[in-house]
Amino acid sequence: EVQLVESGGGLVQAGGSLRLSCAASGFTFDDYAIGWFRQAPGKEREGVSCIFSSDDNTYYADSVKGRFTISRDNAKNTVYLQMNSLKPDDTAVYYCAAGLDIGGTGCTGVIDYWGQGTQVTVSS
């Protein structure tokens, strides 16, 4: 069974940090780009960050650039999103997703697999 399982969300004060993890199974992890997306109430889903499969090239939304860092550990089939200097506007459900051609501005492309999401809440 294909699975993407997010963990690491929670409640944090503004200025704090969280590290999200996305553990993958059931598909060839190394072939896929992995993206982090988020959706807050009343807002469209936003591509936060993604990392390519071939060269570890990365993308960050302007809203998180300089604060978030994406990385992958292919040996563990896991992608991480280190989130620092969190702001209340970062509050959302965060999803990881896998696709063969996710990339570019907004991490666009066909999404093959989605995780279930993890809630991140940043208090003022």
Side-chain angles (χ1 to χ4, degrees):
E1 180 183 356
V2 171
Q3 286 191 307
L4 291 170
V5 181
E6 301 95 333
S7 61
L11 174 65
V12 65
Q13 288 188 321
S17 297
L18 289 171
R19 188 176 76 156
L20 305 184
S21 298
C22 174
S25 61
F27 64 97
T28 305
F29 180 79
D30 294 2
D31 290 342
Y32 284 79
I34 306 295
W36 285 98
F37 300 80
R38 66 186 182 187
Q39 189 160 25
K43 295 184 178 180
E44 295 290 326
R45 187 177 62 221
E46 176 187 16
V48 176
S49 182
C50 50
I51 186 166
F52 298 98
S53 62
S54 61
D55 60 2
D56 283 350
N57 197 15
T58 57
Y59 162 83
Y60 297 94
D62 288 343
S63 59
V64 307
K65 195 172 299 180
R67 300 188 296 120
F68 291 11
T69 302
I70 191 170
S71 61
R72 67 190 296 161
D73 186 341
N74 287 344
K76 296 181 178 180
N77 284 6
T78 301
V79 171
Y80 304 96
L81 186 67
Q82 178 67 45
M83 305 187 295
N84 297 328
S85 301
L86 283 162
K87 305 174 181 179
D89 284 350
D90 295 319
T91 296
V93 178
Y94 284 71
Y95 301 87
C96 66
L100 292 173
D101 63 351
I102 299 172
T105 301
C107 298
T108 57
V110 175
I111 304 297
D112 294 302
Y113 311 115
W114 286 98
Q116 85 289 348
T118 186
Q119 177 71 47
V120 171
T121 303
V122 184
S123 62
S124 300

